[in-house]
Amino acid sequence: MKSFINGEKWRALQRSKFRKRLARERRHRKDLQRQRKQKKFYSSVPTVKLPEDFSLTGNPQETLGAFLKIQRRARKNRKVHIDFQPVQKIRLGALAYLLSIWELETATRPGLKFHGNKPVLQEPKSIYESSGFQEYTGQTSQRESHEPIKGQTFRITPGERVLPEVAASINDFIRDKFPTVNRILTKRIYEIILECLNNTKQHAYRGISNYRKWWVMAIHDQDRQEIHITFLDQGEGIPNTVKKRLMEKFSSSDEKILISTMKGEARSGTGERFRGKGLPTIRRRAREGIISNLLVISGEGLYTCTTKEERSSKLPATLRGTLLHWTVKHGNEGN
């Protein structure tokens, strides 16, 4: 039998339904207004789409091209939108270099604002969120911990001085992921990172008085049991800071200077006899197999080194500063 409610209850029910309908309509109007504002904003703000493979090590041509576009847009506009949605593969080195551009451009151009979104796919989105990129660029209001280690990532860590504790923290990260790691290997990694920090202090920013920043980061590839470590600065770059021979000042290319420097051919930019040993030492560790797949990018030069071969090539665009990337494999033996 159908039940009936009295008039007062019925009117209260109708009022409740009416209020809910008004609330839904109000939310719908706000959503439409927000969408219109976003559409208007993004149609008027220059947008740079990042490549599907956003990686300086795996896809330097397209990634450097995207960086060049970002810098050009930043110099002509007060707002730039960076679109991460096309990204299917992401590497910390590219994120860190984007962070360095973001920081340098906003510091030198008051009023400039960068905006961006997140990758859509879960894997690059996870790396993006765990890297620390959002916190350093002020894109999140969440008070997340700035502890360097987060899951499988040693978050992007900046600095301006030689900080041995950073090298020690990366060694802790390696030991955490590879509990049986050879102690000699971690000692060599510690030395390599200190060499990078010292090179930045001594050489990278010789002509830039108030800027000495570097960035370091690492990520653990669980499937391949590898840890990828990246270090970069935005200094003058190796080709511009090493000592050139007379003819090289007029004819030599960045890639030739880069491979010559890595081989240690008496190129200390300071002119001191004990300098100029850092990069050749890193190269030697790659040739010995202590680290794998060493890659160095500076200026228009790209250098790669393994136990079997080393080579250099010319990039289609210039990378300001220097990026070093290498891999630590589970089971490597230190010498």
mmCIF file of all heavy atoms in Angstrom, residues 236-240 242 244 248 251-261 298-303 312-315 317-319:
data_model
loop_
_atom_site.group_PDB
_atom_site.id
_atom_site.type_symbol
_atom_site.label_atom_id
_atom_site.label_comp_id
_atom_site.label_asym_id
_atom_site.label_seq_id
_atom_site.Cartn_x
_atom_site.Cartn_y
_atom_site.Cartn_z
ATOM 1 N N GLU A 236 79.233 28.519 -17.378
ATOM 2 C CA GLU A 236 79.672 28.868 -18.728
ATOM 3 C C GLU A 236 79.884 27.657 -19.620
ATOM 4 O O GLU A 236 79.982 27.796 -20.840
ATOM 5 C CB GLU A 236 80.967 29.683 -18.647
ATOM 6 C CG GLU A 236 80.797 31.020 -17.943
ATOM 7 C CD GLU A 236 82.092 31.800 -17.911
ATOM 8 O OE1 GLU A 236 82.735 31.944 -18.972
ATOM 9 O OE2 GLU A 236 82.476 32.262 -16.833
ATOM 10 N N GLY A 237 79.969 26.479 -19.024
ATOM 11 C CA GLY A 237 80.140 25.266 -19.816
ATOM 12 C C GLY A 237 81.600 24.913 -20.025
ATOM 13 O O GLY A 237 82.480 25.780 -20.028
ATOM 14 N N ILE A 238 81.865 23.626 -20.210
ATOM 15 C CA ILE A 238 83.240 23.145 -20.358
ATOM 16 C C ILE A 238 83.958 23.784 -21.544
ATOM 17 O O ILE A 238 85.093 24.260 -21.401
ATOM 18 C CB ILE A 238 83.250 21.602 -20.473
ATOM 19 C CG1 ILE A 238 82.773 20.981 -19.158
ATOM 20 C CG2 ILE A 238 84.642 21.089 -20.827
ATOM 21 C CD1 ILE A 238 82.534 19.489 -19.234
ATOM 22 N N PRO A 239 83.355 23.853 -22.737
ATOM 23 C CA PRO A 239 84.085 24.432 -23.874
ATOM 24 C C PRO A 239 84.506 25.884 -23.665
ATOM 25 O O PRO A 239 85.468 26.352 -24.287
ATOM 26 C CB PRO A 239 83.081 24.321 -25.032
ATOM 27 C CG PRO A 239 82.189 23.194 -24.648
ATOM 28 C CD PRO A 239 82.051 23.304 -23.160
ATOM 29 N N ASN A 240 83.805 26.601 -22.790
ATOM 30 C CA ASN A 240 84.122 28.012 -22.570
ATOM 31 C C ASN A 240 85.049 28.255 -21.388
ATOM 32 O O ASN A 240 85.510 29.388 -21.194
ATOM 33 C CB ASN A 240 82.830 28.807 -22.354
ATOM 34 C CG ASN A 240 81.976 28.865 -23.598
ATOM 35 O OD1 ASN A 240 82.492 28.959 -24.708
ATOM 36 N ND2 ASN A 240 80.670 28.786 -23.424
ATOM 37 N N VAL A 242 87.609 25.718 -20.287
ATOM 38 C CA VAL A 242 88.901 25.035 -20.350
ATOM 39 C C VAL A 242 89.893 25.870 -21.155
ATOM 40 O O VAL A 242 89.515 26.736 -21.947
ATOM 41 C CB VAL A 242 88.774 23.629 -20.986
ATOM 42 C CG1 VAL A 242 87.904 22.740 -20.134
ATOM 43 C CG2 VAL A 242 88.245 23.716 -22.409
ATOM 44 N N LYS A 244 92.177 26.618 -24.056
ATOM 45 C CA LYS A 244 92.242 26.202 -25.460
ATOM 46 C C LYS A 244 93.628 26.468 -26.034
ATOM 47 O O LYS A 244 94.299 27.433 -25.662
ATOM 48 C CB LYS A 244 91.204 26.960 -26.298
ATOM 49 C CG LYS A 244 89.762 26.686 -25.925
ATOM 50 C CD LYS A 244 88.834 27.416 -26.888
ATOM 51 C CE LYS A 244 87.376 27.159 -26.558
ATOM 52 N NZ LYS A 244 86.958 27.836 -25.325
ATOM 53 N N GLU A 248 92.684 26.115 -31.662
ATOM 54 C CA GLU A 248 91.344 25.728 -31.225
ATOM 55 C C GLU A 248 90.460 26.942 -30.971
ATOM 56 O O GLU A 248 89.239 26.852 -31.044
ATOM 57 C CB GLU A 248 91.431 24.876 -29.957
ATOM 58 C CG GLU A 248 91.973 23.483 -30.205
ATOM 59 C CD GLU A 248 92.121 22.699 -28.924
ATOM 60 O OE1 GLU A 248 92.214 23.327 -27.851
ATOM 61 O OE2 GLU A 248 92.139 21.460 -28.993
ATOM 62 N N SER A 251 88.994 27.359 -34.573
ATOM 63 C CA SER A 251 88.421 26.324 -35.430
ATOM 64 C C SER A 251 87.804 25.137 -34.697
ATOM 65 O O SER A 251 86.971 24.443 -35.260
ATOM 66 C CB SER A 251 89.504 25.791 -36.383
ATOM 67 O OG SER A 251 90.566 25.215 -35.638
ATOM 68 N N SER A 252 88.185 24.875 -33.463
ATOM 69 C CA SER A 252 87.748 23.636 -32.820
ATOM 70 C C SER A 252 86.293 23.720 -32.360
ATOM 71 O O SER A 252 85.813 24.769 -31.934
ATOM 72 C CB SER A 252 88.642 23.315 -31.625
ATOM 73 O OG SER A 252 88.373 22.015 -31.158
ATOM 74 N N SER A 253 85.586 22.600 -32.459
ATOM 75 C CA SER A 253 84.178 22.537 -32.075
ATOM 76 C C SER A 253 84.044 22.098 -30.620
ATOM 77 O O SER A 253 84.971 21.550 -30.025
ATOM 78 C CB SER A 253 83.439 21.554 -32.986
ATOM 79 O OG SER A 253 84.032 20.267 -32.892
ATOM 80 N N ASP A 254 82.848 22.303 -30.072
ATOM 81 C CA ASP A 254 82.604 21.954 -28.674
ATOM 82 C C ASP A 254 82.817 20.471 -28.413
ATOM 83 O O ASP A 254 83.371 20.083 -27.377
ATOM 84 C CB ASP A 254 81.173 22.343 -28.279
ATOM 85 C CG ASP A 254 81.006 23.842 -28.116
ATOM 86 O OD1 ASP A 254 81.997 24.572 -28.319
ATOM 87 O OD2 ASP A 254 79.887 24.285 -27.792
ATOM 88 N N GLU A 255 82.364 19.616 -29.348
ATOM 89 C CA GLU A 255 82.472 18.178 -29.098
ATOM 90 C C GLU A 255 83.929 17.714 -29.077
ATOM 91 O O GLU A 255 84.299 16.815 -28.307
ATOM 92 C CB GLU A 255 81.662 17.378 -30.123
ATOM 93 C CG GLU A 255 82.137 17.449 -31.561
ATOM 94 C CD GLU A 255 81.499 18.576 -32.344
ATOM 95 O OE1 GLU A 255 81.014 19.544 -31.711
ATOM 96 O OE2 GLU A 255 81.490 18.496 -33.582
ATOM 97 N N LYS A 256 84.786 18.337 -29.884
ATOM 98 C CA LYS A 256 86.205 17.970 -29.877
ATOM 99 C C LYS A 256 86.883 18.436 -28.588
ATOM 100 O O LYS A 256 87.701 17.721 -28.008
ATOM 101 C CB LYS A 256 86.902 18.573 -31.096
ATOM 102 C CG LYS A 256 86.498 17.930 -32.413
ATOM 103 C CD LYS A 256 87.244 18.559 -33.585
ATOM 104 C CE LYS A 256 86.841 17.910 -34.910
ATOM 105 N NZ LYS A 256 87.532 18.547 -36.064
ATOM 106 N N ILE A 257 86.548 19.636 -28.158
ATOM 107 C CA ILE A 257 87.109 20.141 -26.899
ATOM 108 C C ILE A 257 86.629 19.284 -25.733
ATOM 109 O O ILE A 257 87.385 18.982 -24.805
ATOM 110 C CB ILE A 257 86.714 21.615 -26.696
ATOM 111 C CG1 ILE A 257 87.387 22.487 -27.754
ATOM 112 C CG2 ILE A 257 87.079 22.090 -25.298
ATOM 113 C CD1 ILE A 257 86.958 23.931 -27.733
ATOM 114 N N LEU A 258 85.375 18.841 -25.804
ATOM 115 C CA LEU A 258 84.800 18.054 -24.719
ATOM 116 C C LEU A 258 85.514 16.716 -24.558
ATOM 117 O O LEU A 258 85.910 16.343 -23.446
ATOM 118 C CB LEU A 258 83.309 17.838 -24.986
ATOM 119 C CG LEU A 258 82.454 17.289 -23.844
ATOM 120 C CD1 LEU A 258 82.577 18.161 -22.610
ATOM 121 C CD2 LEU A 258 80.994 17.201 -24.279
ATOM 122 N N ILE A 259 85.715 15.983 -25.649
ATOM 123 C CA ILE A 259 86.370 14.680 -25.538
ATOM 124 C C ILE A 259 87.837 14.842 -25.155
ATOM 125 O O ILE A 259 88.393 14.042 -24.397
ATOM 126 C CB ILE A 259 86.211 13.854 -26.841
ATOM 127 C CG1 ILE A 259 86.607 12.397 -26.583
ATOM 128 C CG2 ILE A 259 87.014 14.451 -27.987
ATOM 129 C CD1 ILE A 259 86.240 11.461 -27.728
ATOM 130 N N SER A 260 88.472 15.909 -25.635
ATOM 131 C CA SER A 260 89.858 16.173 -25.262
ATOM 132 C C SER A 260 89.966 16.473 -23.769
ATOM 133 O O SER A 260 90.890 16.016 -23.089
ATOM 134 C CB SER A 260 90.398 17.349 -26.081
ATOM 135 O OG SER A 260 91.689 17.700 -25.662
ATOM 136 N N THR A 261 89.005 17.234 -23.245
ATOM 137 C CA THR A 261 88.998 17.562 -21.820
ATOM 138 C C THR A 261 88.777 16.321 -20.974
ATOM 139 O O THR A 261 89.434 16.125 -19.947
ATOM 140 C CB THR A 261 87.892 18.595 -21.519
ATOM 141 O OG1 THR A 261 88.095 19.750 -22.338
ATOM 142 C CG2 THR A 261 87.914 19.002 -20.058
ATOM 143 N N SER A 298 77.593 19.617 -22.770
ATOM 144 C CA SER A 298 77.990 20.986 -22.448
ATOM 145 C C SER A 298 78.128 21.771 -23.743
ATOM 146 O O SER A 298 78.748 21.295 -24.700
ATOM 147 C CB SER A 298 79.316 20.996 -21.678
ATOM 148 O OG SER A 298 79.580 22.281 -21.159
ATOM 149 N N GLY A 299 77.551 22.961 -23.773
ATOM 150 C CA GLY A 299 77.567 23.736 -25.011
ATOM 151 C C GLY A 299 76.841 22.976 -26.105
ATOM 152 O O GLY A 299 75.717 22.516 -25.927
ATOM 153 N N GLU A 300 77.509 22.801 -27.232
ATOM 154 C CA GLU A 300 76.937 22.017 -28.332
ATOM 155 C C GLU A 300 77.572 20.634 -28.423
ATOM 156 O O GLU A 300 77.418 19.943 -29.427
ATOM 157 C CB GLU A 300 77.128 22.759 -29.662
ATOM 158 C CG GLU A 300 76.318 24.044 -29.765
ATOM 159 C CD GLU A 300 76.462 24.711 -31.115
ATOM 160 O OE1 GLU A 300 77.356 24.303 -31.890
ATOM 161 O OE2 GLU A 300 75.687 25.640 -31.410
ATOM 162 N N GLY A 301 78.276 20.232 -27.375
ATOM 163 C CA GLY A 301 78.961 18.946 -27.395
ATOM 164 C C GLY A 301 78.282 17.900 -26.531
ATOM 165 O O GLY A 301 77.769 18.201 -25.451
ATOM 166 N N LEU A 302 78.280 16.662 -27.014
ATOM 167 C CA LEU A 302 77.749 15.521 -26.269
ATOM 168 C C LEU A 302 78.818 14.434 -26.258
ATOM 169 O O LEU A 302 79.332 14.050 -27.312
ATOM 170 C CB LEU A 302 76.462 15.007 -26.904
ATOM 171 C CG LEU A 302 75.742 13.847 -26.195
ATOM 172 C CD1 LEU A 302 74.237 13.945 -26.423
ATOM 173 C CD2 LEU A 302 76.231 12.477 -26.702
ATOM 174 N N TYR A 303 79.155 13.943 -25.070
ATOM 175 C CA TYR A 303 80.203 12.935 -24.914
ATOM 176 C C TYR A 303 79.618 11.727 -24.193
ATOM 177 O O TYR A 303 78.897 11.871 -23.195
ATOM 178 C CB TYR A 303 81.362 13.519 -24.102
ATOM 179 C CG TYR A 303 82.363 12.503 -23.601
ATOM 180 C CD1 TYR A 303 83.413 12.068 -24.406
ATOM 181 C CD2 TYR A 303 82.261 11.980 -22.314
ATOM 182 C CE1 TYR A 303 84.337 11.140 -23.935
ATOM 183 C CE2 TYR A 303 83.176 11.059 -21.841
ATOM 184 C CZ TYR A 303 84.211 10.637 -22.650
ATOM 185 O OH TYR A 303 85.116 9.717 -22.180
ATOM 186 N N SER A 312 82.144 11.432 -29.144
ATOM 187 C CA SER A 312 81.518 12.740 -28.952
ATOM 188 C C SER A 312 80.793 13.118 -30.234
ATOM 189 O O SER A 312 81.146 12.662 -31.325
ATOM 190 C CB SER A 312 82.564 13.804 -28.593
ATOM 191 O OG SER A 312 83.475 13.985 -29.666
ATOM 192 N N SER A 313 79.779 13.948 -30.092
ATOM 193 C CA SER A 313 79.004 14.389 -31.252
ATOM 194 C C SER A 313 78.479 15.797 -30.995
ATOM 195 O O SER A 313 78.502 16.291 -29.866
ATOM 196 C CB SER A 313 77.846 13.425 -31.528
ATOM 197 O OG SER A 313 77.009 13.311 -30.391
ATOM 198 N N LYS A 314 78.001 16.403 -32.063
ATOM 199 C CA LYS A 314 77.495 17.771 -31.970
ATOM 200 C C LYS A 314 75.988 17.761 -31.773
ATOM 201 O O LYS A 314 75.262 17.018 -32.423
ATOM 202 C CB LYS A 314 77.847 18.556 -33.235
ATOM 203 C CG LYS A 314 77.447 20.026 -33.169
ATOM 204 C CD LYS A 314 77.901 20.780 -34.407
ATOM 205 C CE LYS A 314 77.502 22.254 -34.311
ATOM 206 N NZ LYS A 314 77.960 23.023 -35.483
ATOM 207 N N LEU A 315 75.521 18.624 -30.868
ATOM 208 C CA LEU A 315 74.093 18.760 -30.614
ATOM 209 C C LEU A 315 73.484 19.806 -31.551
ATOM 210 O O LEU A 315 74.178 20.723 -31.994
ATOM 211 C CB LEU A 315 73.852 19.184 -29.164
ATOM 212 C CG LEU A 315 74.168 18.146 -28.084
ATOM 213 C CD1 LEU A 315 74.105 18.796 -26.710
ATOM 214 C CD2 LEU A 315 73.200 16.983 -28.153
ATOM 215 N N ALA A 317 71.388 22.011 -30.668
ATOM 216 C CA ALA A 317 71.152 23.235 -29.897
ATOM 217 C C ALA A 317 72.154 23.285 -28.753
ATOM 218 O O ALA A 317 72.813 22.292 -28.443
ATOM 219 C CB ALA A 317 69.718 23.269 -29.363
ATOM 220 N N THR A 318 72.271 24.437 -28.138
ATOM 221 C CA THR A 318 73.259 24.633 -27.077
ATOM 222 C C THR A 318 72.634 24.419 -25.709
ATOM 223 O O THR A 318 71.553 24.930 -25.422
ATOM 224 C CB THR A 318 73.839 26.055 -27.146
ATOM 225 O OG1 THR A 318 74.457 26.241 -28.419
ATOM 226 C CG2 THR A 318 74.872 26.277 -26.055
ATOM 227 N N LEU A 319 73.325 23.653 -24.868
ATOM 228 C CA LEU A 319 72.929 23.518 -23.475
ATOM 229 C C LEU A 319 73.820 24.426 -22.644
ATOM 230 O O LEU A 319 75.041 24.274 -22.639
ATOM 231 C CB LEU A 319 73.054 22.069 -23.001
ATOM 232 C CG LEU A 319 72.623 21.818 -21.551
ATOM 233 C CD1 LEU A 319 71.810 20.531 -21.441
ATOM 234 C CD2 LEU A 319 73.823 21.734 -20.608
#
